[in-house]
Amino acid sequence: MSGEPDGPQDRLRRFATIWSRAVFPVTSTSSTRTEFEAELLPLARRLSKVLRARSFDAEEARAVGAALVDAHCTDPEALSQTLDCVDAYLVLYCGEGGDPEDLRARSARLQHAMAAGFAGALRARTLAEQEAIAQAALKAQGVVAEALHASEARFRAVFEGAAIGIGIADLDGNILQVNQALMRMFGIADPALGGRRAMEWTHPDDAPQVWRLYQELVRGEREHYHVEKAFYRPDGTVLWTNLTVSLLRDADGTPQYQLALMEDTTERRLLNLRLRYEATHDALTGLPNRSFFFERLEKALNAGPGQRFGLCYLDLDGFKAVNDSLGHAAGDRLLVEVADRLQACATAPGEMVARLGGDEFVALTTGPDTRHEVDELAGRIMNALLSPVSVDGRELTVRGSIGIVEGPAGERSPAEVLRSADITMYRAKSAGGNRFELADPEADARVITRHGLTTALPAALERGEFFIEYQPLVHLGDGSVRGAEALVRWLHPQHGVLGPDRFIPLAEHTGLIVPLGRWVLEQSVLQARLWRERYGEGGAAGPLRINVNLSPCQLTHPGLVQDTVEILERTGVAPDALCLEVTESALIGADDDLLKPLRRLAEMGVDIALDDFGTGYSNLANLRRLPVSVLKLDRSFTQSMQQFPADPVDLKIVEGIVALAHSLDLAVTVEGVETGAQAEQLRILGCDTAQGWYYARPGPPERLHELALVDATG
Ligand code: C2E
Ligand code: MG
Ligand code: MG
């Protein structure tokens, strides 16, 4: 079987194969394709290192670009193919384990540096070639007149065969002769250029020194000059060239002719412009991207005395729910609309808006008085988000949390500023979102960074730093404990106990959620067996059941069904003692493939609960399609029942949902019950089970024993 997963070396080799296939047809190498691939492999290895290195090594990327020229990839098409290939495959094959957003930004910078290295090497090579031709011409200069009449075979051969354009003119600028390559560049069929004058070839982009150098040359004051120059072709299009002009003297040293050697750089120039744009702008929204923003921030922070900067770091609230429930296309449209609105907020000189990735944006303002300006900027941004965004005929409410950092230039590095902004944004988010907060250096110092947590996660699982608390699920009819929800926590060696909201998203991002989720499932099922052993199978309320949360990534993981079956069998716990909780947003819009594993589990008797119901944008009619048997009403419904009397509209909504759920044979559990009044209200509305601080906070498994015991005896 070749089912072994590929190692990094295999993937690197595959990247080199794809690369060589794309480029080989446009090279002028004499190697075979396989030999050529072997030449590319070390280059691929170097690219892969640049991609993953801690800090970006532009020099190395440039060197790889230059090495391409040495490998006979001198055609602009070879560069273009290379960049396409790097863009599409490098991160895929060589980016293992990195943050996708960072890798993509890194790949864009890498491409840009490669292109620059390629262009530089090509220019050097052309100059060398031009130099050789000029040398040949100079050697022949005593016989230049004859050369023009085809008597100097060596010069003639160079002249006709050269890949670069060559033209000869007299000192008045009358063009005497041009070669085939030059005619091709200008798109002309016959050498009728003869008779035209060099002076007519002006172009608005000519640098001022171009014609000064020309005059010096024809006056005999300089031997040659080198410029980048544009020409109009007869059809009106523009030709960019690297132009070298040399003076040819006769045997007595009297200036006689001028010799122009030109290399067509039009395509490379366009490619460079495109690359510069692509390397600095976000493809989806067209906003400046992370690396462009860093450049600008760096400039602002180096601006000198008296200058300040103000930064708003915006993260949309609840964007993930939109993406999960309406799909990525809708999420993308939302981001584009938000980007447009943000751009309109920062139009003054010294202001800019950029997208850092995902749903994170920044707005920057610079100048002497940013203290006041940054507040206004944040206000404008909050205002811009007020009106809903219409996507696919739905009106989506957009909210955002903003972290503001303001200060004098010259004190902090871009990374420090961004870190502080990120922490402050999180503070705004934890305070409920839809607000802005100002950075506070003392708070910054206390904060645990996402990055720090992310890197500590894998070892934490190995070291057994996770533990599970259980929160009872109580029957609203008779108040008996029916089961418990398993809620994972992390006992961090420095930061103490961290709740799942702190680390589950990070674990999802890095893939650690799969082993972590499996561990939670196993521990919880073992716990359920312990409860069963203690209370037997047949209490008044039946055996205690266990609810375990599943992340969206676990749903798509191929081992889900098998792992679950294996754990249940090994522990001897019946499937109907287990309920898996899946958030609403992960299931809405799910296709049959995604639902298949859940359906299989449901058929075995495992209950599936739709968690946090009411927070996504779900379509109630859709519920019928899903293999769920329990609805867990989100805490927000319960919260709105806190005041007395509760809002009658809210009550009606809950009543409606309960009726619908029951008509679909779904049980209803409510979350976040904090008072007896709420519990009573929810019971009247027909909810089946409840969970919340009113009954018990999540706690160690022994606590549940006590509760259930009280329940059974009292
Ligand atoms: P959830 O599944 O909706 O869990 C309920 C959350 O509400 C828990 O927060 C619980 O402590 C909290 N809660 C319970 N009663 C009350 C109450 O009366 N009032 C208030 N204000 N809150 C109450 P927790 O433990 O922070 O968990 C947060 C979320 O983390 C969970 O939401 C769940 O989605 C996720 N989670 C927890 N454990 C796991 C796990 O093992 N795997 C995965 N994938 N996700 C988990
Ligand atoms: Mg849950
Ligand atoms: Mg929930």
Side-chain angles (χ1 to χ4, degrees), residues 471 485-489 500-501 504 513 520 549-551 554 581 611-612 635 671-674 692-693 698:
Q471 186 176 35
E485 176 172 6
L487 296 161
V488 65
R489 277 93 180 81
D501 292 341
I504 292 284
I513 189 68
V520 172
N549 292 286
L550 279 193
S551 281
Q554 290 174 271
E581 298 193 2
D611 203 355
D612 301 345
R635 203 159 64 225
E671 302 180 324
V673 177
E674 294 179 358
W693 298 346

Side-chain angles (χ1 to χ4, degrees), residues 20 34 82 154 246 292 340 384 432-433 489 500 624:
S20 68
T34 320
T82 292
R154 177 165 159 199
S246 309
F292 193 6
D340 287 348
R489 277 93 180 81
R624 191 192 300 273

Side-chain angles (χ1 to χ4, degrees), residues 342-574:
L342 292 180
Q343 186 126 56
C345 293
T347 51
E351 293 181 342
M352 96 178 288
V353 168
R355 178 176 177 218
L356 293 187
D359 60 344
E360 294 175 11
F361 298 87
V362 279
L364 178 68
T365 171
T366 54
D369 185 28
T370 49
R371 259 175 288 223
H372 176 62
E373 282 162 15
V374 77
D375 280 344
E376 287 193 340
L377 182 59
R380 284 202 297 280
I381 293 175
M382 296 305 281
N383 258 331
L385 297 180
L386 274 184
S387 56
V389 175
S390 159
V391 173
D392 292 345
R394 285 169 205 257
E395 300 282 302
L396 302 183
T397 311
V398 220
R399 297 273 181 267
S401 305
I402 298 181
I404 300 179
V405 184
E406 197 278 338
E411 287 186 356
R412 280 180 280 181
S413 73
E416 283 166 347
V417 169
L418 222 63
R419 176 175 179 271
S420 170
D422 183 52
I423 292 169
T424 313
M425 180 277 289
Y426 259 81
R427 193 143 45 79
K429 215 161 252 249
S430 334
N434 193 24
R435 71 190 62 216
F436 52 81
E437 295 275 342
L438 219 74
D440 162 10
E442 277 174 30
D444 284 7
R446 286 194 304 269
V447 155
I448 320 159
T449 61
R450 277 190 283 175
H451 179 72
L453 286 188
T454 307
T455 45
L457 266 173
L461 183 59
E462 283 162 24
R463 282 200 291 256
E465 289 171 9
F466 293 101
F467 67 98
I468 302 176
E469 288 193 320
Y470 297 87
Q471 186 176 35
L473 289 153
V474 177
H475 191 257
L476 275 167
D478 59 14
S480 61
V481 174
R482 295 298 171 95
E485 176 172 6
L487 296 161
V488 65
R489 277 93 180 81
W490 179 3
L491 180 57
H492 191 286
Q494 275 104 50
H495 306 301
V497 175
L498 302 177
D501 292 341
R502 297 300 290 274
F503 61 85
I504 292 284
L506 305 179
E508 286 176 341
H509 200 67
T510 55
L512 190 82
I513 189 68
V514 172
L516 176 61
R518 200 185 295 130
W519 179 83
V520 172
L521 183 66
E522 177 161 22
Q523 294 301 307
S524 313
V525 170
L526 276 172
Q527 187 57 55
R529 190 181 69 185
L530 277 179
W531 286 330
R532 296 199 151 200
E533 282 167 358
R534 212 170 256 217
Y535 304 113
E537 296 282 325
L544 284 179
R545 311 176 67 240
I546 185 77
N547 282 32
V548 178
N549 292 286
L550 279 193
S551 281
C553 324
Q554 290 174 271
L555 282 186
T556 51
H557 191 266
L560 174 67
V561 176
Q562 204 190 327
D563 286 350
T564 312
V565 170
E566 195 263 327
I567 289 172
L568 288 173
E569 279 177 356
R570 186 151 41 81
T571 48
V573 170

Side-chain angles (χ1 to χ4, degrees), residues 472-483 540-542 544 673 676 679-680 682-683 687-692 694-696 704-714:
L473 289 153
V474 177
H475 191 257
L476 275 167
D478 59 14
S480 61
V481 174
R482 295 298 171 95
L544 284 179
V673 177
E680 181 56 11
L682 290 160
R683 190 188 61 78
C687 298
D688 304 291
T689 343
Q691 176 180 359
Y694 172 62
Y695 305 102
L704 202 83
H705 298 176
E706 292 157 19
L707 285 166
L709 224 52
V710 169
D711 198 58
T713 54

